[in-house]
Structure formats: structure tokens, C-alpha cells
């Protein structure tokens, strides 16, 4: 029997938002943290690679958006460093029977607009996420919920279509954040007048978190300010500004001049440069993330698994990791990182074999190769990966053109299936294989749901469905092992590596942490002048 791998923390959108809730009940009205924290504060500036896609949590599923949202919104529960579920907006919960979960909610919590957080608000939020008219890419996290019952003002029940032991972990996912019910109602009213779903919420998001929305200038910056009426100990910072700075070297230059305090991300090739300069340091964090090359399986020639296998076998991952990422990270044999529940170390993946790649191409009718495109955004690591793949695939006769696409546009167009190949990443936020496989490869999630390879495999669907519906842990492991073996054959992606997150940080920044889900934890950060 295989041992369950030790899960790294995941703490989604939280800790940023609920660390104190894991330890004790807060005093009424929040207030400054103990230990003289009233003297700590500052205006933190983060130079970030990409802008948010939307400030409506139901209209996005990307890290830049979640980084900002995580500081304004909170979930019912959070997870600690051992992946154990801890209280946040819910104080207690229990599984009443196989398909019923009951949550007791924290009293005295208000949204930023002054409205009450209660069971009706929870019901409104989850129903909105599941509403097909909203079209949330995060709906797949909760599509097992068939009914939400308001027991009383501070008690709510979730009824699921089948036993789903991972529901609390899913409720800790960024998709489970709570938005003001009054704002949800206003957003629906705007939809009736012809506005897009989420237009009201994204323009002025109202959560319960330690920071309040102040301003979003698309393509330039997003600014948040401290929530003085937070239900727990207040954040230490006075404000946080996420400045969009696309160029790596410009972010480092701003860090050096003091125009920003954090560069996110820091490219591996720039680590030495930051470490050698005074007044700044490199912060590292292992991840549950995957970088990969994806195929559009609905387009020729990638509708042929022999072609996909050939491309995968023609790419030397070690060359990419050593040459582009300076050896930072570990080679990936499949979608799941070793610290994710369900990872199977015995699945070997497709190895590097150029001659076998040529043979497979010839067998598929492409002995002379073909021409295709690969999409990437302008993040240096991904752009360099695309260039490296372009060079390696030329060895087997595949002529690859690189198209650099703006991040938001890339999300939209890969969801629509306009691409051939693409360089992408995915973080298994919950630390559970369900979140690492179901969104990426189940046919229910084609396009914006996460399945941008348009994988549609009945056998794989069956394995993933059974794995999320069984209560037996060992049976889940067996099913996920079979799914990973099948993915080697289907080859919808070329898994490249599981990265290590890198940040360039000013020495003035204290209390900063970054979790394996990549989200920055800002509630306890302050600037020491």
C-alpha cells in the first residue's frame, strides 16, 4: 500500500484573510494586533507581471486576479500548513450524513458595504457560482452540490449528489469566497438591463476581508486599503498597490530604486542579480504547480495521439529546466506535483526519445513534419520555453511559429479553442488530485472551465468521476493512479516541471509569506523604515 504523500500547505485565498481565525475568537470590532502593531504599517507596492482579469471571483480563475481578490474576500474555511481545515467565516462544521454537510457561521461579520454576512449570503454566493447564466469557470468546484439549505441565520447545509469528502477543501478554494448579497442582487439587476455578468461586482467588489477595494486602472494598477472594521485583528499595512510591470528587468529596477517593495514573479535567471544587491533578498517557496505545453486536441494534427506523443518525446525537459529556469524546480512526469494527494511516483510518463518521436510522426502520416503555432504570454520563462520548444521540434521536422498573446486575451482565446499549442501553468490549489485533474481533463470543463486541451475521453471521465465520488481513500488513490497512466497514453499535455516560486523582496518588507498555491499572504505584512 502506497503511503499518502505529505501535503504541503495550500491555504487558498486565506491566511491572507483568516490566520487569526485558526487560533482563537477575535474581540468585537477587530482592532490593532497585539504587540504594538499600531506602529507598523506602510503602503506596500507589488510590481506584478500581469494585470487582473476580473475582480469578480466568478469571472476569473487565474493567479493575478486571485492575488488581489484574496485580500478582499474570504471563504468559509481555510487550511493550515498541514492542509488541515481550519475556521474562517465558518466556526464549526460536520458531515451529517453521506451527502449532507452542515456549517455554523461566524456571527457579527459584515461585508465592506455594511450588509450582514449570514446563511442567506452563503446560499446566494454558491447559487451564483453554479448559475449557468453566470458561466463561472469555478463552477466545477461545486457542481456536486444539489441544494443549499438555510437552517437559520447562522447555519447552512449543503446537499451533494453523491458522497464528497473533499467538500470542505473545495470550500477553501478561491471559488468559495463570499461576496455581499446586496451586490449579487445588484449585479443580477444589471444583467436584466443588458450588462455582462459580474460588471457590478468587478467594478467595486465587496467582501469581508482585511482590505477594501479602492481603485482599479486596467493595465496599470489595482489599489486596496486597510479595512478598519475587519472582524478579526486588522491588517498592518495601510494600503497595497499591485502595479502591472510586464518587463522582468524593470521590476528589478523598481525594487532597487524603492518604487516597489516586491517583484512578482522573479525569474530564476535574475536570482543572483537580486541576491548580490544590498537592500533586497530572494524569497523561495515550493509549489503544487505545474508548467506545461498543451495541445488543442480538436485541431489537426493534434487530434492524433501519436502526434501528441511524438511532440512530447521530442522535448528534453531537463534542457528547459536547466537552461531557462537555472535548475529551479523538478521535472514533471504528469500533472500532479509530488506533494499533492493522489500523485503516483510509479507513473513514468513519456521519456525523451527523438528517434521514437520521428517514428510516431511517420506512422501518423507526418514523416516530413508539419507547421503549427505555439502561444505564450510575455512572461520571460514561458516565452523562453516556447523558443526552446520551437528549436527542439525543428529536429523532427515540425516548424513552430511563436505568437505572444496578452494574458487576458490568451485566457479567452484558449477557452474558445483558437490555438494549436500553448505554454501554460496550473496550480493544484486544494492539494488534492481532484483539483489537479478534474478541471484540466474532464469533458465537463472544456474551455474556460480549465480543459483548454479539449480532452474528451470517456474512460478518463469515468475514472475522475468515480475518484471524486468514493469515500475510500485507498480507492481514490487507485483510481487517480489509473487516470495518470491513461493520461500518459492520451498525452493532452507535455508536463514540463513543478516550479519553485521566486520573489524579489525589499529588506524593508516584514512578515511576508507565499503559499504553494502562489498567493501572497499580506494581512501580517508591514514595512519597516
Amino acid at each position: 500500500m502506497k503511503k499518502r504523500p505529505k501535503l504541503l500547505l495550500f491555504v487558498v485565498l486565506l491566511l491572507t484573510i483568516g490566520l487569526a481565525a485558526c487560533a482563537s475568537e477575535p474581540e468585537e470590532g477587530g482592532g490593532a494586533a497585539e504587540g504594538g502593531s499600531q506602529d507598523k504599517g506602510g503602503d506596500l507596492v507589488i510590481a506584478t507581471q500581469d494585470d487582473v482579469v476580473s475582480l469578480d471571483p466568478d469571472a476569473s480563475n487565474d493567479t493575478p486576479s486571485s492575488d488581489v481578490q484574496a485580500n478582499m474576500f474570504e471563504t468559509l474555511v481555510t487550511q493550515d500548513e498541514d492542509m488541515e481545515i481550519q475556521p474562517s467565516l465558518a466556526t464549526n462544521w460536520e458531515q451529517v450524513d453521506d451527502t449532507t454537510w452542515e456549517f455554523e457561521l461566524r456571527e457579527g461579520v459584515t461585508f465592506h458595504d455594511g450588509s450582514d454576512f449570514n446563511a442567506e449570503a452563503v446560499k446566494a454566493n454558491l447559487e451564483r457560482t453554479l448559475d449557468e447564466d453566470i458561466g463561472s469557470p469555478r463552477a466545477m468546484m461545486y457542481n456536486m452540490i444539489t441544494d443549499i439549505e438555510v437552517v437559520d441565520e447562522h447555519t447552512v447545509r449543503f446537499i451533494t449528489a453523491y458522497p464528497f469528502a473533499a467538500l470542505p477543501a473545495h470550500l477553501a478554494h478561491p471559488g468559495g469566497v463570499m461576496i455581499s448579497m446586496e451586490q449579487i442582487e445588484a449585479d443580477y439587476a444589471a444583467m436584466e438591463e443588458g450588462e455582462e455578468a459580474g460588471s457590478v461586482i468587478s467594478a467595486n467588489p465587496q467582501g469581508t476581508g482585511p482590505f477594501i477595494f479602492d481603485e482599479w486602472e486596467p493595465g496599470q494598477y489595482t489599489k486596496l486599503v486597510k479595512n478598519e472594521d475587519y472582524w478579526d485583528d486588522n491588517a498592518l499595512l495601510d494600503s497595497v498597490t499591485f502595479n502591472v510591470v510586464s518587463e522582468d528587468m524593470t521590476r528589478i529596477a523598481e525594487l532597487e530604486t524603492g518604487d516597489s517593495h516586491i517583484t512578482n514573479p522573479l525569474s530564476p535567471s535574475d536570482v543572483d542579480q537580486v541576491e548580490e544587491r544590498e537592500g533586497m533578498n530572494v524569497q523561495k517557496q515550493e509549489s503544487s504547480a505545474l508548467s506545461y505545453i498543451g495541445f488543442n486536441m480538436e485541431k489537426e494534427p493534434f487530434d492524433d495521439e501519436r502526434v501528441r506523443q511524438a511532440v512530447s518525446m521530442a522535448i528534453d525537459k531537463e534542457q528547459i529546466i536547466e537552461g531557462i529556469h537555472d535548475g529551479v524546480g523538478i521535472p514533471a512526469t504528469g500533472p500532479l506535483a509530488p506533494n499533492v494527494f493522489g500523485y503516483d511516483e510509479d507513473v513514468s510518463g513519456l521519456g525523451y526519445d527523438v528517434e521514437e518521436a520521428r517514428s510516431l510522426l511517420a506512422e501518423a502520416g507526418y514523416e516530413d513534419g508539419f507547421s503549427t503555432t505555439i502561444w505564450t504570454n510575455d512572461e520571460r520563462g514561458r516565452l523562453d520555453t516556447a523558443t526552446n520548444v520551437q528549436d527542439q521540434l525543428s529536429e523532427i521536422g515540425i516548424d513552430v511559429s511563436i505568437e505572444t498573446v496578452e494574458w487576458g486575451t490568451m485566457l479567452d482565446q484558449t477557452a474558445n479553442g483558437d490555438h494549436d499549442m500553448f505554454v501554460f501553468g496550473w496550480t493544484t490549489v486544494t492539494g488534492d488530485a481532484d483539483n489537479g485533474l478534474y478541471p484540466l481533463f474532464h469533458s465537463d470543463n472544456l474551455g474556460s472551465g480549465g480543459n483548454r486541451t479539449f480532452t474528451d475521453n470517456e474512460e478518463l471521465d469515468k475514472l475522475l468521476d468515480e475518484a471524486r465520488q468514493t469515500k475510500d481513500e485507498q480507492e481514490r488513490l487507485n483510481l487517480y493512479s489509473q487516470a495518470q497512466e491513461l493520461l500518459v497514453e492520451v498525452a493532452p499535455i507535455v508536463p514540463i516541471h513543478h516550479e519553485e516560486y521566486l520573489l524579489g523582496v525589499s529588506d524593508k518588507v516584514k512578515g511576508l509569506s507565499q503559499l504553494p498555491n502562489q498567493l501572497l499572504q499580506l494581512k501580517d505584512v508591514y514595512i519597516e523604515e
Side-chain angles (χ1 to χ4, degrees):
M1 175 176 173
K2 297 176 186 174
K3 292 183 179 179
R4 172 176 175 167
K6 179 177 174 66
L7 296 176
L8 267 180
L9 53 162
F10 134 59
V11 200
V12 96
L13 283 192
L14 307 125
L15 233 180
T16 301
I17 336 181
L19 190 57
C22 300
S24 61
E25 292 290 323
E27 295 179 4
E28 286 292 327
E34 296 178 2
S37 63
Q38 61 269 22
D39 298 326
K40 300 176 180 178
D43 300 300
L44 183 73
V45 178
I46 302 172
T48 184
Q49 164 92 31
D50 296 298
D51 195 13
V52 299
V53 173
S54 174
L55 293 175
D56 174 12
D58 280 324
S60 58
N61 199 26
D62 62 295
T63 299
S65 298
S66 295
D67 246 339
V68 177
Q69 295 166 11
N71 295 281
M72 300 184 292
F73 299 107
E74 295 176 294
T75 48
L76 297 185
V77 293
T78 182
Q79 291 173 297
D80 62 21
E81 295 184 0
D82 296 317
M83 294 299 290
E84 298 295 328
I85 304 297
Q86 300 293 344
S88 183
L89 290 178
T91 56
N92 295 287
W93 54 93
E94 65 173 330
Q95 189 169 9
V96 178
D97 56 44
D98 283 352
T99 59
T100 305
W101 287 84
E102 184 171 285
F103 285 74
E104 294 181 17
L105 307 180
R106 191 176 299 277
E107 299 184 26
V109 177
T110 58
F111 290 97
H112 299 156
D113 60 8
S115 61
D116 291 331
F117 167 72
N118 51 34
E120 291 286 357
V122 174
K123 179 179 174 67
N125 272 272
L126 269 296
E127 288 182 342
R128 179 177 189 265
T129 300
L130 292 168
D131 187 347
E132 293 182 359
D133 290 337
I134 299 298
S136 175
R138 289 166 164 171
M140 47 81 182
M141 294 296 297
Y142 308 105
N143 59 11
M144 74 295 298
I145 298 175
T146 59
D147 194 21
I148 304 163
E149 298 178 353
V150 173
V151 179
D152 56 42
E153 185 176 6
H154 295 103
T155 309
V156 64
R157 283 184 176 177
F158 299 102
I159 313 301
T160 59
Y162 45 82
F164 190 64
L167 183 63
H170 277 225
L171 289 170
H173 183 276
V177 297
M178 295 291 115
I179 306 167
S180 161
M181 188 168 68
E182 290 187 5
Q183 195 173 43
I184 289 175
E185 292 171 350
D187 196 76
Y188 272 115
M191 289 173 62
E192 292 179 358
E193 297 297 323
E195 297 293 329
E196 290 188 6
S199 60
V200 171
I201 294 170
S202 190
N204 188 25
Q206 303 293 309
T208 63
F211 292 92
I212 296 174
F213 173 74
D214 183 62
E215 186 178 9
W216 177 26
E217 189 65 38
Q220 297 184 43
Y221 64 88
T222 306
K223 184 178 180 180
L224 313 179
V225 296
K226 180 194 298 187
N227 178 9
E228 299 286 359
D229 297 316
Y230 186 51
W231 58 266
D232 199 352
D233 290 336
N234 285 350
L236 303 180
L237 292 167
D238 298 305
S239 70
V240 180
T241 301
F242 297 81
N243 276 347
V244 180
V245 183
S246 59
E247 294 294 330
D248 290 355
M249 297 311 299
T250 304
R251 292 198 300 275
I252 293 176
E254 288 193 1
L255 186 64
E256 188 171 22
T257 61
D259 290 329
S260 65
H261 302 97
I262 300 170
T263 174
N264 181 25
L266 175 69
S267 295
S269 57
D270 296 328
V271 167
D272 289 344
Q273 187 175 357
V274 172
E275 289 181 335
E276 291 168 359
R277 298 187 182 183
E278 292 186 4
M280 61 182 72
N281 62 85
V282 176
Q283 187 161 317
K284 302 178 181 180
Q285 171 62 55
E286 293 182 358
S287 80
S288 57
L290 168 76
S291 67
Y292 68 93
I293 308 295
F295 306 107
N296 185 344
M297 292 172 55
E298 291 188 334
K299 280 190 176 182
E300 294 183 356
F302 301 117
D303 57 344
D304 189 323
E305 71 177 28
R306 294 169 296 184
V307 173
R308 302 192 299 270
Q309 291 170 358
V311 171
S312 184
M313 298 179 79
I315 296 175
D316 183 355
K317 301 172 188 177
E318 291 284 0
Q319 185 183 130
I320 295 174
I321 296 170
E322 294 299 326
I324 296 173
H325 300 285
D326 285 2
V328 176
I330 61 174
T333 57
L336 302 180
N339 54 28
V340 173
F341 172 80
Y343 168 78
D344 188 348
E345 63 182 7
D346 295 328
V347 177
S348 58
L350 294 171
Y352 176 56
D353 190 334
V354 176
E355 289 308 313
E356 179 62 18
R358 290 195 180 99
S359 176
L360 285 168
L361 278 186
E363 184 181 322
Y366 296 96
E367 59 273 5
D368 297 324
F370 56 88
S371 296
T372 189
T373 60
I374 187 168
W375 289 7
T376 178
N377 68 338
D378 58 2
E379 192 271 320
R380 197 196 324 173
R382 289 183 180 177
L383 186 56
D384 288 348
T385 296
T387 302
N388 182 283
V389 168
Q390 179 188 51
D391 183 62
Q392 292 199 56
L393 293 186
S394 68
E395 296 296 317
I396 60 172
I398 300 178
D399 180 21
V400 179
S401 298
I402 299 173
E403 293 189 16
T404 305
V405 185
E406 184 272 330
W407 178 241
T409 302
M410 187 169 177
L411 289 173
D412 290 340
Q413 293 186 351
T414 53
N416 293 334
D418 298 333
H419 57 290
D420 294 334
M421 300 170 64
F422 61 107
V423 186
F424 227 66
W426 181 266
T427 302
T428 302
V429 177
T430 66
D432 187 284
D434 180 74
N435 182 234
L437 299 179
Y438 189 83
L440 289 182
F441 306 113
H442 196 285
S443 63
D444 280 352
N445 302 313
L446 299 178
S448 63
N451 186 348
R452 298 170 192 272
T453 59
F454 292 86
T455 303
D456 189 353
N457 184 286
E458 186 176 344
E459 183 181 356
L460 183 59
D461 281 355
K462 185 173 183 293
L463 288 170
L464 297 180
D465 285 336
E466 290 180 359
R468 67 177 356 209
Q469 294 178 23
T470 182
K471 295 173 60 178
D472 184 86
E473 184 174 288
Q474 186 56 51
E475 179 61 18
R476 292 190 75 213
L477 290 172
N478 292 337
L479 290 164
Y480 284 132
S481 177
Q482 294 176 55
Q484 289 168 82
E485 291 283 5
L486 181 57
L487 282 167
V488 174
E489 177 184 343
V490 177
I493 66 171
V494 184
I496 302 297
H497 84 310
H498 304 295
E499 61 188 304
E500 183 177 43
Y501 296 133
L502 302 172
L503 300 171
V505 183
S506 166
D507 289 346
K508 296 179 179 179
V509 175
K510 306 299 180 181
L512 175 69
S513 64
Q514 186 180 31
L515 301 172
N517 61 9
Q518 199 174 359
L519 299 181
L520 299 177
Q521 309 305 291
L522 303 179
K523 179 176 176 289
D524 297 321
V525 171
Y526 64 95
I527 299 171
E528 185 175 77
E529 297 294 346

Short mmCIF file of all heavy atoms in Angstrom, two decimals, residues 16-43:
data_model
loop_
_atom_site.label_atom_id
_atom_site.label_comp_id
_atom_site.label_asym_id
_atom_site.label_seq_id
_atom_site.Cartn_x
_atom_site.Cartn_y
_atom_site.Cartn_z
N THR A 16 -4.01 34.91 4.17
CA THR A 16 -4.11 36.32 3.84
C THR A 16 -5.27 36.89 4.61
O THR A 16 -5.28 38.01 5.01
CB THR A 16 -4.44 36.45 2.36
OG1 THR A 16 -3.44 35.84 1.63
CG2 THR A 16 -4.61 37.85 1.95
N ILE A 17 -6.30 36.09 4.74
CA ILE A 17 -7.55 36.61 5.22
C ILE A 17 -8.02 36.01 6.51
O ILE A 17 -9.04 36.38 6.99
CB ILE A 17 -8.63 36.37 4.20
CG1 ILE A 17 -8.12 36.22 2.83
CG2 ILE A 17 -9.61 37.42 4.23
CD1 ILE A 17 -9.15 36.01 1.82
N GLY A 18 -7.39 34.99 6.99
CA GLY A 18 -8.01 34.40 8.16
C GLY A 18 -7.07 33.74 9.12
O GLY A 18 -7.46 32.82 9.80
N LEU A 19 -5.78 34.15 9.19
CA LEU A 19 -4.84 33.43 10.03
C LEU A 19 -5.26 33.44 11.49
O LEU A 19 -5.21 32.43 12.16
CB LEU A 19 -3.46 34.07 9.88
CG LEU A 19 -2.31 33.30 10.53
CD1 LEU A 19 -2.25 31.90 9.97
CD2 LEU A 19 -1.01 34.01 10.30
N ALA A 20 -5.71 34.59 11.97
CA ALA A 20 -6.09 34.65 13.38
C ALA A 20 -7.27 33.77 13.67
O ALA A 20 -7.45 33.28 14.78
CB ALA A 20 -6.40 36.09 13.77
N ALA A 21 -8.13 33.53 12.67
CA ALA A 21 -9.31 32.69 12.89
C ALA A 21 -8.93 31.26 13.18
O ALA A 21 -9.71 30.50 13.72
CB ALA A 21 -10.22 32.76 11.67
N CYS A 22 -7.71 30.87 12.80
CA CYS A 22 -7.29 29.50 13.04
C CYS A 22 -6.95 29.26 14.50
O CYS A 22 -6.82 28.14 14.94
CB CYS A 22 -6.05 29.17 12.20
SG CYS A 22 -6.32 29.35 10.43
N ALA A 23 -6.77 30.36 15.27
CA ALA A 23 -6.30 30.18 16.63
C ALA A 23 -7.36 30.47 17.68
O ALA A 23 -7.56 29.69 18.59
CB ALA A 23 -5.09 31.10 16.86
N SER A 24 -8.05 31.59 17.56
CA SER A 24 -8.97 31.95 18.62
C SER A 24 -10.02 32.90 18.11
O SER A 24 -9.88 33.48 17.05
CB SER A 24 -8.20 32.61 19.77
OG SER A 24 -7.56 33.79 19.31
N GLU A 25 -11.06 33.09 18.89
CA GLU A 25 -12.12 34.02 18.53
C GLU A 25 -11.60 35.45 18.67
O GLU A 25 -10.90 35.78 19.64
CB GLU A 25 -13.32 33.83 19.44
CG GLU A 25 -14.04 32.50 19.23
CD GLU A 25 -14.76 32.46 17.92
OE1 GLU A 25 -15.30 33.51 17.52
OE2 GLU A 25 -14.77 31.39 17.29
N PRO A 26 -11.92 36.34 17.74
CA PRO A 26 -11.46 37.71 17.82
C PRO A 26 -12.30 38.51 18.80
O PRO A 26 -13.39 38.13 19.17
CB PRO A 26 -11.67 38.23 16.39
CG PRO A 26 -12.86 37.46 15.92
CD PRO A 26 -12.73 36.09 16.55
N GLU A 27 -11.73 39.66 19.20
CA GLU A 27 -12.51 40.59 20.00
C GLU A 27 -13.51 41.30 19.11
O GLU A 27 -13.35 41.36 17.90
CB GLU A 27 -11.58 41.62 20.65
CG GLU A 27 -10.60 41.00 21.65
CD GLU A 27 -9.69 42.04 22.26
OE1 GLU A 27 -9.86 43.23 21.95
OE2 GLU A 27 -8.81 41.67 23.04
N GLU A 28 -14.56 41.83 19.71
CA GLU A 28 -15.57 42.56 18.95
C GLU A 28 -14.92 43.73 18.21
O GLU A 28 -14.12 44.47 18.78
CB GLU A 28 -16.65 43.09 19.88
CG GLU A 28 -17.60 42.03 20.40
CD GLU A 28 -18.48 41.46 19.32
OE1 GLU A 28 -18.84 42.21 18.40
OE2 GLU A 28 -18.80 40.26 19.39
N GLY A 29 -15.25 43.86 16.92
CA GLY A 29 -14.82 45.03 16.17
C GLY A 29 -13.40 45.00 15.70
O GLY A 29 -12.90 45.97 15.16
N GLY A 30 -12.65 43.90 15.91
CA GLY A 30 -11.28 43.83 15.41
C GLY A 30 -10.36 44.70 16.23
O GLY A 30 -10.26 44.58 17.43
N GLY A 31 -9.67 45.62 15.55
CA GLY A 31 -8.72 46.49 16.24
C GLY A 31 -7.31 46.13 15.90
O GLY A 31 -7.05 45.18 15.17
N ALA A 32 -6.35 46.89 16.40
CA ALA A 32 -4.94 46.66 16.08
C ALA A 32 -4.48 45.37 16.71
O ALA A 32 -4.92 44.96 17.77
CB ALA A 32 -4.11 47.83 16.59
N ALA A 33 -3.53 44.70 16.04
CA ALA A 33 -2.96 43.47 16.57
C ALA A 33 -2.14 43.77 17.81
O ALA A 33 -1.71 44.90 18.06
CB ALA A 33 -2.09 42.79 15.50
N GLU A 34 -1.88 42.74 18.61
CA GLU A 34 -1.14 42.91 19.84
C GLU A 34 0.32 43.19 19.54
O GLU A 34 0.82 42.99 18.45
CB GLU A 34 -1.27 41.66 20.70
CG GLU A 34 -2.70 41.40 21.15
CD GLU A 34 -2.81 40.14 21.96
OE1 GLU A 34 -1.78 39.49 22.20
OE2 GLU A 34 -3.94 39.81 22.35
N GLY A 35 1.05 43.63 20.56
CA GLY A 35 2.48 43.80 20.43
C GLY A 35 2.89 45.10 19.77
O GLY A 35 3.93 45.19 19.14
N GLY A 36 2.09 46.15 19.89
CA GLY A 36 2.47 47.44 19.36
C GLY A 36 2.35 47.55 17.87
O GLY A 36 3.03 48.34 17.24
N SER A 37 1.48 46.73 17.25
CA SER A 37 1.37 46.73 15.81
C SER A 37 0.80 48.02 15.26
O SER A 37 0.87 48.27 14.07
CB SER A 37 0.51 45.55 15.35
OG SER A 37 -0.79 45.69 15.84
N GLN A 38 0.26 48.87 16.17
CA GLN A 38 -0.25 50.14 15.69
C GLN A 38 0.87 50.99 15.10
O GLN A 38 0.62 51.94 14.37
CB GLN A 38 -0.97 50.90 16.81
CG GLN A 38 -0.09 51.26 18.01
CD GLN A 38 -0.11 50.18 19.07
OE1 GLN A 38 -0.43 49.03 18.78
NE2 GLN A 38 0.23 50.56 20.30
N ASP A 39 2.13 50.67 15.43
CA ASP A 39 3.27 51.41 14.89
C ASP A 39 3.74 50.82 13.57
O ASP A 39 4.68 51.33 12.95
CB ASP A 39 4.43 51.40 15.89
CG ASP A 39 4.04 52.09 17.20
OD1 ASP A 39 3.27 53.05 17.14
OD2 ASP A 39 4.52 51.64 18.25
N LYS A 40 3.15 49.71 13.17
CA LYS A 40 3.55 49.05 11.93
C LYS A 40 2.51 49.35 10.85
O LYS A 40 1.32 49.39 11.12
CB LYS A 40 3.66 47.54 12.15
CG LYS A 40 4.67 47.14 13.21
CD LYS A 40 4.67 45.65 13.45
CE LYS A 40 5.68 45.26 14.52
NZ LYS A 40 5.66 43.81 14.81
N GLY A 41 2.97 49.50 9.65
CA GLY A 41 2.04 49.79 8.56
C GLY A 41 2.78 50.02 7.28
O GLY A 41 3.71 49.29 6.95
N GLY A 42 2.39 51.07 6.57
CA GLY A 42 3.05 51.40 5.31
C GLY A 42 2.17 51.13 4.11
O GLY A 42 1.10 50.52 4.22
N ASP A 43 2.62 51.63 2.98
CA ASP A 43 1.92 51.46 1.72
C ASP A 43 2.75 50.54 0.83
O ASP A 43 3.76 50.96 0.25
CB ASP A 43 1.71 52.82 1.04
CG ASP A 43 0.88 53.76 1.92
OD1 ASP A 43 -0.26 53.39 2.23
OD2 ASP A 43 1.38 54.83 2.29
#
